[in-house]
Amino acid sequence: MTSAESPISRVVVLDQHLPEPLPVQHVEVRRITIEPHTALGAHVHNGPVFGNIVSGKAVYQQAADGEVQILHPGDVFYEPAVDRISRFDTEDEGVTFLAYFPLTAGQDATLDLI
């Protein structure tokens, strides 16, 4: 069977290199829902976070002077460890996304507002 005849399609939607090796012990996956008109505000995570928008949309901005993106269903995003995320907000509709937290042994995923 050729690739043109295959019923399976595989497309890389994000290939994110981490700034340093991470001895991952487990990956925690969370389904997170944020209601409409919610401004999460600037925050940091203690480890990298990968996400996939399931429904709704979010206003996403990494650095305060970074590009503002509108994330829609199917979009993926990456939040680097300990880097400030300026915005992950909702407007007229909320958002539901899956967040993937690669964690080292004994590490709990955290989000700190700044």
Side-chain angles (χ1 to χ4, degrees):
M1 183 179 286
T2 69
S3 62
E5 299 169 340
S6 177
I8 299 170
S9 171
R10 292 177 178 86
V11 177
V12 175
V13 294
L14 176 65
D15 182 9
Q16 181 65 53
H17 293 269
L18 299 177
E20 59 187 49
L22 180 66
V24 175
Q25 179 69 34
H26 65 106
V27 176
E28 184 175 286
V29 182
R30 297 179 184 177
R31 179 182 306 275
I32 300 172
T33 299
I34 302 174
E35 295 295 320
H37 304 287
T38 300
L40 180 60
H43 65 279
V44 297
H45 294 277
N46 65 332
V49 180
F50 297 85
N52 177 276
I53 304 297
V54 174
S55 64
K57 64 182 180 180
V59 179
Y60 178 68
Q61 183 180 24
Q62 281 197 0
D65 60 351
E67 175 188 356
V68 175
Q69 298 175 277
I70 305 298
L71 301 176
H72 297 92
D75 288 343
V76 296
F77 61 91
Y78 163 67
E79 296 185 355
V82 304
D83 282 5
R84 176 189 173 117
I85 304 302
S86 293
R87 294 181 70 187
F88 199 99
D89 305 335
T90 61
E91 294 178 334
D92 291 339
E93 62 181 304
V95 68
T96 297
F97 61 98
L98 296 176
Y100 303 82
F101 299 86
L103 301 167
T104 60
Q107 181 184 23
D108 292 320
T110 64
L111 177 147
D112 294 310
L113 298 176
I114 52 175

